[in-house]
Amino acid sequence: MRSIFYTLIAALAITHGAMAYDGYNIPCSYGGGGNCICDAGSCQEYSWNDSLETFMCGSGKGGNGKCSCVDAQYNKTIEFPCGCTSDSDCDGPGWGCINGQCQTCRTCSNCNTTSWTNGNTGYQTRTVRTCGCTTGQCTSTTEYRCAPGYYGTTSNGSTGCTRCSADSGVYGTTAAGSTARTNCYIETGTTFSDTSGSGRWDGRSYWCN
């Protein structure tokens, strides 16, 4: 009776798939046969996903979206596609999760981000274009920042930026995108002239809060 029971278990194992190195079932439809076991190969370095029935191997060794499983008993190498549930499961740039497998991202045409350009006084704007890895569709968003000579944060390109103050009739300047008053400065070598006289700033002079 016991031998019949073990024979039945063995038959079920052969019917429903192979046993992975960690004890989980591996379907043999990828090229294995019978009760194959993952004895070696790059697949052993990754975790097995029951629901996807494959290994979570990122973009795979060499970036080919697969990992290899060597079955010593049957002298076979089985290639498994790397499974994924989101783009973050796929390693390396240019890879994304498409239909549950790590694949090279689909490409978009004319999907370049524009350069920063001047908008309203004290503001700059640009269009950021992003190619959807899984869809191949380009999406666009608009970004805003403060122009040189201004500081602050803006979400609409019309409010939020303040001009740097003036000292002896000379307005301070900033790098584009500066967010704080302390980023304002007068460049070394800048000359001034007011009621107290004239002169030149030696060394870059920053504003204090």
Side-chain angles (χ1 to χ4, degrees):
M1 182 68 179
R2 179 174 295 180
S3 62
I4 295 175
F5 175 76
Y6 286 128
T7 300
L8 177 60
I9 292 298
L12 287 172
I14 293 173
T15 301
H16 292 288
M19 296 303 294
Y21 73 100
D22 57 3
Y24 289 107
N25 274 339
I26 293 181
C28 288
S29 57
Y30 296 110
N35 215 14
C36 51
I37 296 175
C38 196
D39 301 290
S42 58
C43 289
Q44 289 190 107
E45 302 173 16
Y46 308 105
S47 62
W48 175 262
N49 185 294
D50 279 324
S51 60
L52 295 174
E53 294 188 332
T54 190
F55 289 92
M56 304 298 285
C57 47
S59 58
K61 286 284 187 178
N64 62 358
K66 298 178 181 179
C67 66
S68 61
C69 173
V70 178
D71 173 24
Q73 180 181 0
Y74 289 92
N75 192 27
K76 288 186 178 181
T77 298
I78 309 167
E79 292 284 323
F80 287 92
C82 297
C84 58
T85 56
S86 66
D87 289 345
S88 61
D89 292 329
C90 303
D91 301 330
W95 285 85
C97 186
I98 303 175
N99 298 325
Q101 295 182 7
C102 288
Q103 301 180 35
T104 52
C105 289
R106 293 172 178 153
T107 58
C108 299
S109 59
N110 302 319
C111 197
N112 299 318
T113 296
T114 64
S115 301
W116 288 101
T117 58
N118 292 325
N120 294 322
T121 301
Y123 298 86
Q124 292 185 331
T125 181
R126 70 173 179 177
T127 300
V128 178
R129 297 189 177 97
T130 305
C131 183
C133 180
T134 58
T135 64
Q137 298 294 316
C138 187
T139 58
S140 299
T141 57
T142 303
E143 288 186 349
Y144 304 95
R145 71 179 182 183
C146 297
Y150 292 77
Y151 64 92
T153 57
T154 178
S155 61
N156 56 17
S158 58
T159 59
C161 294
T162 303
R163 187 178 185 182
C164 291
S165 303
D167 189 349
S168 299
V170 178
Y171 282 95
T173 189
T174 57
S178 295
T179 58
R181 184 173 183 268
T182 51
N183 296 135
C184 296
Y185 65 89
I186 295 178
E187 187 60 88
T188 180
T190 302
T191 59
F192 68 89
S193 179
D194 57 21
T195 56
S196 62
S198 61
R200 184 183 68 183
W201 275 276
D202 291 325
R204 183 176 285 185
S205 302
Y206 284 87
W207 263 258
C208 299
N209 281 329

